[in-house]
Amino acid sequence: MTDFDKPHMEPKGFFGYLPLSPSDLVDRKTPTDKVFSLAHFGVPIIEASDWQLEISGLVNQPRTLTLTDIKDLPRREINTVHQCAGSPLDPTSPKRRITNVTWAGVDLAYLLNELGIDPKAKYIWSYAPDFGEFGGYSQSYYLKDLSVNRILEGGVLLAYELNGEPLPHRHGFPVRLVIPGYYGTNSVKWICRMILAAERADSVFTTKLYTNPARSEEGKNTTGSPVWEIAPESVIVSPGDNSLVQQDSCLIWGWAWSASGAERVQISVDDGKTWDRADLETRSEWAWQKFTYNWQPSSKGAFTIIARASDPSGNIQPITGARNAVHSVQVNVE
Ligand SMILES: Nc1nc2c(c(=O)[nH]1)N[C@H]1C(S)=C(S)[C@@H](COP(=O)(O)O)O[C@H]1N2
Ligand SMILES: [Mo]
């Protein structure tokens, strides 16, 4: 069932392209050549004419689609944060691999409704043919899953464009999944097979890696939850780390986001003893939101500026020990 033709991989082996630090995130929309790129096994080079997508499992009319078939379906454009969850081997350290981009493709809800979803289908398993070794596991494909409910909320794309252009190979050419509000790891690039199923996919990248640690609460053990929805987070774009600022006025600004948007951003300049609310724009689609704060430093000298975001349910960025732990910058007031 999972015997894909092995694609040519260039490069072969873990691929990471990380061009931007927080102080470089000056553009609201990240230009394509500045969008980070990650691939556990390397980048498969797939020609459009060789590509097809099989959709089967708990669906009334299984179907195999070519790129032309996909492009003939209604085109939907989505502006969203695109963020990597960080290394699954080091899940509690923030990596700040974050961008805000526009994808275009067909909404998967539209396509699946055309094919007819069997009511027993609760999850969809998405496969790509990239293969190799990661974290001590040897795999002959990349596999992730997501819930049918999330798909039916809309916005989940089979995308063939990034920022108005065909996807570059490293970003998933010819077609990839895009799940707005979910960490990048779930958005399977070079997608070639989707299977609708009643249960989750039990596999390395679904239930072993990218699983939040199980917690025990009041004697009850909870099983680890998948790394799906993006937790509240913010980055300080300006001032940059180790910069000099003037005492009369300093504009602190950056971006905040989460799966359900950022509700509030707070700033501390006294190591988290007190927090002051920043101005925060409202969200459009799944995009990040700009925050601004006019700071009048109380004295000259060294300060640490910390920003923390919270979401509409009141979840708040932790200070340490999590992938979405706060970002801080050191500045000198002169
Ligand atoms: N097929 C496949 N899809 C994949 C991956 C992969 O290794 N193989 N890596 C995932 C991870 S961890 C991230 S963060 C995003 C990165 O997408 P980008 O390179 O377009 O930024 O792709 C995801 N999709
Ligand atoms: Mo990632």
Side-chain angles (χ1 to χ4, degrees), residues 87-131:
S87 171
L89 310 174
D90 178 19
T92 56
S93 86
K95 295 289 194 288
R96 313 200 198 284
R97 300 161 178 174
I98 172 75
T99 62
N100 187 57
V101 295
T102 302
W103 305 98
V106 62
D107 196 303
L108 193 54
Y110 176 90
L111 176 56
L112 291 183
N113 282 327
E114 287 232 311
L115 303 187
I117 304 170
D118 182 318
K120 290 194 288 297
K122 295 287 175 269
Y123 298 95
I124 190 157
W125 303 7
S126 301
Y127 293 84
D130 44 324
F131 64 96

Side-chain angles (χ1 to χ4, degrees), residues 68 70-71 119 126 136 155 208 210 212 214 232-233 247 274 292 320:
T68 315
I70 301 257
K71 286 189 172 171
S126 301
K208 291 187 179 65
Y210 297 104
N212 294 312
E233 196 170 334
Q247 198 184 349
T274 61
T292 50
T320 55

Side-chain angles (χ1 to χ4, degrees), residues 14 36-40 82-88 97 142 183-186 210:
F14 180 83
F36 71 82
S37 187
L38 291 151
H40 298 84
H82 171 53
Q83 180 176 23
C84 168
S87 171
R97 300 161 178 174
Y142 186 73
Y183 285 108
T185 173
N186 300 292
Y210 297 104

